[in-house]
């Protein structure tokens, strides 16, 4: 029988013609999946040791393969490794180089596995490491927020609904709201990590492996907590990519909300914060400008991560079992998202830790805008007036204060009693900002004591994981 074309492709025996160069370029993934090299090699070392244990390789062959793979790691990290696009992906590139280095033993490494379960393994190892790094960075941002909250426990600012001043709150309480968001993000990532931490190797191309292999041995070598239960699912599953991507997308939503407030607070209209010079930029035309570019880019990069999530969901929505080449498109969105999330967490933690809060401006904003109106209504409720009636009475007093261009507490007692005889001299102490804050002692409230408890609880959670 006539041999097929000269080729380094592992399927060359089946084909009479070499791959078209355009097809080769179109289908290659080596330009981006090369970053998986250390995970691919770690999986190959564990696989070789397992093959030797099961008698499918000799110990000498396994040792030779392991030594060759370790040399390849050094070549890649020193920049000496040649990534040949004709070899398509990182798996084939490493295998080809291994065969060059150790000969026939290297050609035996692929025994009992497919690139389908191999790439699933590499991605899971990559995800496991990167999720761990993201978790560390989320905790870093939480610590920065907590430190600022502790440093400003008594700083009063306006709380907002509908972007309108609503009620007075503590800045610390406001900052701790983001800590709550980030804690949920961490919980989601820890939960997703359990489903990432599953060994797919041994699934073969789709139907398992007909050779006597030991999957549990490989799982122990690579420290996986579980084995995949269905070979068809294992090679075509990308839930372990999509689920962390969803967690990343929601994490970025929270970072974008924080970034938006930094942008607003740094504006002259708010003036609540002063940006550190090292985290702002100027204008090439307007000398006075100090722009919050870091926060703006955090908002912008959120869209990239959303796009990656939608891309992956779209890729898998119409795929029949099992593996399809569409799944090659999972890596670039994932890699880009991981880098975007890590970079944003790192720079936002540094920015938050160096913000200067303008206490006087925040206090003035809290004193203006009738933020104690609800407390004034509550005062009447405590005197026995139904809340709906109290709401109307205070609304009339707000209108009067607007007409006079003064605050509610600047109205005289006579003016208050004209609206309701229930008002007494103690009303002015009751609606002072500190009193409004102090009364909210219930769990989750804005009182200083409640915020201190929230800070303590957050620190405990950070230490416990």
């Amino acid at each position: 029988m006539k041999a097929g074309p000269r080729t380094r492709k592992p399927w060359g025996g089946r084909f009479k013609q070499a791959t078209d160069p355009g097809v080769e370029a179109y289908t290659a993934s080596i330009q981006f999946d090369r970053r998986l090299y250390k995970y691919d090699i770690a999986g190959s070392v564990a696989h070789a040791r397992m093959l030797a244990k099961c008698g499918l390789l000799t110990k000498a062959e396994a040792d030779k393969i392991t030594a060759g793979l370790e040399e390849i790691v050094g070549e890649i990290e020193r920049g000496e490794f040649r990534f040949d696009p004709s070899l398509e992906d990182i798996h084939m590139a490493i295998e080809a180089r291994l065969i060059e280095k150790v000969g026939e033993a290297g050609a035996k490494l692929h025994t009992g596995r497919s690139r389908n379960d191999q790439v699933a393994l590499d991605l899971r190892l990559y995800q496991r490491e990167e999720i761990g790094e993201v978790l560390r960075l989320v905790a870093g941002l939480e610590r920065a927020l907590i430190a600022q909250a502790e440093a400003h426990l008594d700083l009063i600012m306006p709380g907002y609904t509908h972007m309108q001043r609503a009620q007075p709150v503590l800045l610390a309480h406001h900052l701790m709201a983001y800590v709550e968001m980030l804690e949920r993000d961490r919980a989601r990532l820890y939960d997703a990590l359990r489903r990432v931490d599953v060994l797919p190797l041994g699934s073969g191309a789709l139907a398992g492996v007909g050779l006597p292999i030991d999957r549990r041995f490989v799982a122990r070598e690579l420290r996986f907590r579980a084995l995949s239960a269905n070979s068809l699912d294992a090679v075509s599953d990308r839930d372990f990519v999509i689920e962390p991507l969803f967690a990343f997308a929601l994490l970025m939503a929270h970072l974008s909300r924080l970034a938006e407030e930094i942008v607003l607070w740094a504006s002259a209209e708010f003036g609540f914060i002063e940006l550190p010079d090292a985290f702002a930029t100027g204008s090439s035309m307007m000398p006075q400008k100090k722009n919050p570019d870091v926060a703006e880019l955090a908002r912008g990069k959120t869209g990239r991560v959303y796009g990656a999530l939608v891309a992956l969901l779209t890729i898998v929505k119409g795929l029949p079992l099992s593996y399809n080449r569409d799944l090659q498109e999972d890596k670039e969105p994932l890699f880009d998202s991981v880098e975007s999330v890590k970079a944003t967490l790192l720079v936002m933690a540094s920015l938050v830790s160096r913000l200067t809060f303008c206490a006087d401006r925040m206090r003035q904003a809290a004193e203006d805008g009738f933020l104690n109106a609800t407390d004034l209504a509550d005062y009447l409720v405590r005197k026995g007036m139904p809340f709906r009636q109290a709401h109307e009475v205070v609304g009339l007093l707000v209108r009067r204060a607007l007409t006079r261009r003064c605050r509610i507490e600047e109205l005289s007692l006579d003016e208050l009693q004209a609206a309701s005889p229930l008002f007494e001299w103690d009303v002015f102490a009751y609606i002072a900002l500190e009193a409004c804050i102090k009364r909210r002692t219930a769990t989750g409230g804005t009182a200083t004591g409640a915020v201190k408890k929230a800070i303590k609880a957050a620190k405990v959670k950070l230490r416990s994981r």
Side-chain angles (χ1 to χ4, degrees):
M1 181 180 293
K2 186 177 179 181
R6 290 177 61 83
T7 179
R8 299 173 74 187
K9 299 286 196 293
W11 59 81
R14 166 66 176 79
F15 292 80
K16 290 183 178 180
Q17 296 180 342
T19 307
D20 181 277
V23 171
E24 207 163 61
Y26 185 69
T27 57
S29 60
I30 189 71
Q31 65 270 27
F32 52 82
D33 69 16
R34 65 177 64 185
R35 75 169 61 195
L36 295 174
Y37 75 90
K38 67 178 180 179
Y39 311 105
D40 194 75
I41 288 173
S44 291
V45 169
H47 185 67
R49 288 173 178 164
M50 180 274 292
L51 292 176
K53 174 181 178 293
C54 296
L56 296 168
L57 287 178
T58 66
K59 184 178 184 304
E61 287 173 326
D63 290 344
K64 201 172 185 180
I65 288 170
T66 299
L69 290 170
E70 289 172 353
E71 289 176 12
I72 290 171
V73 171
E75 290 176 358
I76 294 173
E77 293 181 347
R78 290 191 301 271
E80 299 169 359
F81 190 93
R82 179 175 175 268
F83 291 96
D84 184 352
S86 69
L87 292 173
E88 289 194 359
D89 56 38
I90 189 63
H91 325 297
M92 290 169 60
I94 289 173
E95 182 179 299
R97 179 61 178 143
L98 180 66
I99 293 170
E100 287 178 358
K101 292 178 77 68
V102 305
E104 185 179 333
K108 293 183 178 183
L109 176 60
H110 207 57
T111 302
R113 73 177 181 184
S114 163
R115 283 191 298 167
N116 294 355
D117 59 354
Q118 190 178 356
V119 69
L121 170 67
D122 293 359
L123 273 177
R124 285 179 182 272
L125 289 170
Y126 167 84
Q127 282 280 72
R128 199 168 65 178
E129 183 172 307
E130 292 295 351
I131 290 172
E133 179 64 9
V134 170
L135 285 166
R136 185 186 70 80
L137 292 170
V138 173
L141 177 54
E142 286 187 65
R143 291 188 184 95
L145 289 162
I146 290 169
Q148 287 283 27
E150 284 187 304
H152 300 90
L153 275 173
D154 297 318
L155 202 167
I156 297 175
M157 64 172 287
Y160 293 81
T161 64
H162 308 280
M163 277 308 296
Q164 303 295 311
R165 294 175 190 173
Q167 289 181 284
V169 298
L170 294 175
L171 169 64
H173 186 62
H174 191 110
L175 295 175
M176 290 304 294
Y178 286 102
V179 174
E180 291 294 316
M181 297 179 209
L182 293 172
E183 267 301 300
R184 292 195 296 273
D185 292 321
R186 287 210 307 150
R188 270 184 287 272
L189 285 167
Y190 273 113
D191 192 46
L193 193 55
R194 290 176 49 250
R195 285 176 286 281
V196 169
D197 201 14
V198 176
L199 176 76
L201 204 64
S203 300
L206 77 161
V209 176
L211 295 168
I213 63 172
D214 187 343
R215 299 183 71 205
R216 294 191 181 281
F217 176 88
V218 178
R220 288 194 296 273
E221 287 283 299
L222 297 173
R223 298 181 181 178
F224 278 98
R225 57 172 289 276
L227 305 177
S228 58
N230 184 289
S231 60
L232 288 166
D233 176 60
V235 298
S236 60
D237 166 35
R238 289 300 181 269
D239 292 4
F240 71 92
V241 176
I242 294 169
E243 187 178 1
L245 268 180
F246 167 74
F248 292 159
L250 193 48
L251 167 59
M252 287 298 291
H254 296 149
L255 297 181
S256 186
R257 294 182 73 179
L258 175 58
E260 171 66 7
E261 294 209 302
I262 289 172
V263 170
L264 288 174
W265 290 1
S267 68
E269 285 70 19
F270 278 78
F272 287 178
I273 59 174
E274 178 68 27
L275 293 173
D277 287 353
F279 287 80
T281 64
S283 165
S284 62
M285 182 178 181
M286 297 167 284
Q288 83 282 9
K289 294 294 295 298
K290 188 175 185 180
N291 298 327
D293 285 29
V294 168
E296 290 172 351
L297 279 170
R299 288 186 317 198
K301 287 181 183 292
T302 300
R304 293 174 67 153
V305 179
Y306 287 3
L309 175 60
V310 173
L312 264 292
L313 288 169
T314 304
I315 287 167
V316 302
K317 76 174 183 61
L319 295 186
L321 290 175
S322 59
Y323 182 84
N324 294 270
R325 193 62 177 269
D326 312 49
L327 294 176
Q328 180 175 294
E329 292 298 306
D330 60 356
K331 295 171 194 62
E332 287 181 285
L334 173 62
F335 296 159
D336 184 73
S337 293
V338 167
E339 294 308 315
S340 294
V341 168
K342 290 196 302 183
T344 304
L345 283 167
L346 188 63
V347 74
M348 287 294 284
S350 296
L351 173 57
V352 166
S353 68
R354 300 181 199 185
L355 290 176
T356 299
F357 292 92
C358 304
D360 291 346
R361 185 68 179 263
M362 285 183 156
R363 172 77 187 213
Q364 181 185 347
E367 289 175 343
D368 296 336
F370 312 107
L371 274 68
N372 53 4
T374 302
D375 293 87
L376 190 61
D378 288 345
Y379 175 91
L380 293 173
V381 168
R382 285 173 177 261
K383 297 286 187 175
M385 183 181 289
F387 179 76
R388 285 300 170 205
Q389 184 181 342
H391 188 288
E392 183 175 358
V393 168
V394 174
L396 292 171
L397 289 170
V398 168
R399 189 194 305 172
R400 181 171 181 79
L402 284 168
T403 301
R404 288 191 49 195
R405 296 184 180 180
C406 68
R407 300 169 181 166
I408 289 179
E409 58 269 31
E410 292 174 335
L411 296 173
S412 68
L413 181 59
D414 289 341
E415 288 174 297
L416 296 178
Q417 289 179 334
S420 171
L422 294 177
F423 287 118
E424 298 179 27
W425 275 110
D426 62 346
V427 68
F428 296 106
Y430 191 90
I431 61 174
L433 287 184
E434 281 76 12
C436 295
I437 294 289
K438 187 176 181 180
R439 270 192 298 276
R440 300 189 178 98
T441 56
T443 301
T446 64
T448 303
V451 175
K452 286 181 178 178
K453 288 181 181 178
I455 289 172
K456 183 178 180 180
K459 286 182 173 180
V460 170
K461 287 180 182 177
L462 284 171
R463 287 195 300 267
S464 67
R465 284 178 171 164

